[in-house]
Amino acid sequence: MIQKLQKITTLLVLMMVLSGCTNNPEDNLEHLEGYWEIERVILNDGSTKEYSYNDTVDFISLEDSQTGIRKKMKPNFMGTFETSKDAENFTIKIENDSMNVYYKTPFDTWKETVLLATKNQLKVINKNNAIFLYKRYKPISIN
């Protein structure tokens, strides 16, 4: 009887610990803004495409906790960016314990799910189950 009680207690403690470690998707929001450089894409078939050099970076700006824009920016050697006036508007929704980003342009609409957003990493998955891994953009320094 004591062993059974110990097993039940251990199981309950383990369940509490695991449930306390679940990722709150709203925690990703604070890290979403900024300049992001793509590192690699893991395609649905498991193949990986590496990006050793990028001539553009994604700039994400939040207007509030539910809306924002994403733009392609081209860094230059002066430490500034060139960009077009084109921007992708998005809406953020927390659904089924996930942070979903809904994009809308005059040409298309699509959804991406944020899997991870930290100070230095961003990971999203699209409708084709391709996983995009980004790193925080750091300007090239020529000294």
Side-chain angles (χ1 to χ4, degrees), residues 4-123:
K4 187 175 183 179
L5 186 58
Q6 287 175 330
K7 286 181 183 181
I8 292 171
T9 304
T10 303
L11 182 62
L12 287 173
V13 169
L14 182 61
M15 288 173 52
M16 288 187 327
V17 168
L18 291 176
S19 68
C21 294
T22 57
N23 186 17
N24 181 358
E26 292 180 17
D27 293 344
N28 291 323
L29 192 60
E30 71 178 281
H31 300 293
L32 199 56
E33 277 194 297
Y35 296 90
W36 294 99
E37 182 177 11
I38 193 163
E39 281 188 285
R40 69 181 170 275
V41 177
I42 303 169
L43 300 174
N44 189 23
D45 65 3
S47 62
T48 301
K49 178 170 176 152
E50 298 285 338
Y51 290 83
S52 57
Y53 171 77
N54 297 298
D55 63 344
T56 62
V57 296
D58 286 355
F59 172 68
I60 298 174
S61 176
L62 297 174
E63 295 171 9
D64 55 41
S65 65
Q66 297 178 341
T67 60
I69 61 164
R70 181 169 80 176
K71 294 181 94 171
K72 293 288 185 191
M73 310 290 279
K74 188 170 188 170
N76 62 35
F77 291 111
M78 302 297 288
T80 60
F81 295 91
E82 297 173 22
T83 185
S84 69
K85 294 186 181 196
D86 296 332
E88 300 164 345
N89 293 306
F90 63 80
T91 303
I92 297 172
K93 294 182 182 177
I94 305 298
E95 301 167 313
N96 301 320
D97 295 329
S98 295
M99 177 183 286
N100 294 315
V101 183
Y102 292 89
Y103 292 93
K104 185 174 184 179
T105 70
F107 310 105
D108 198 7
T109 59
W110 69 97
K111 174 183 99 168
E112 293 178 345
T113 300
V114 177
L115 301 175
L116 174 71
T118 67
K119 181 180 175 185
N120 296 311
Q121 291 183 309
L122 176 62
K123 185 194 294 190

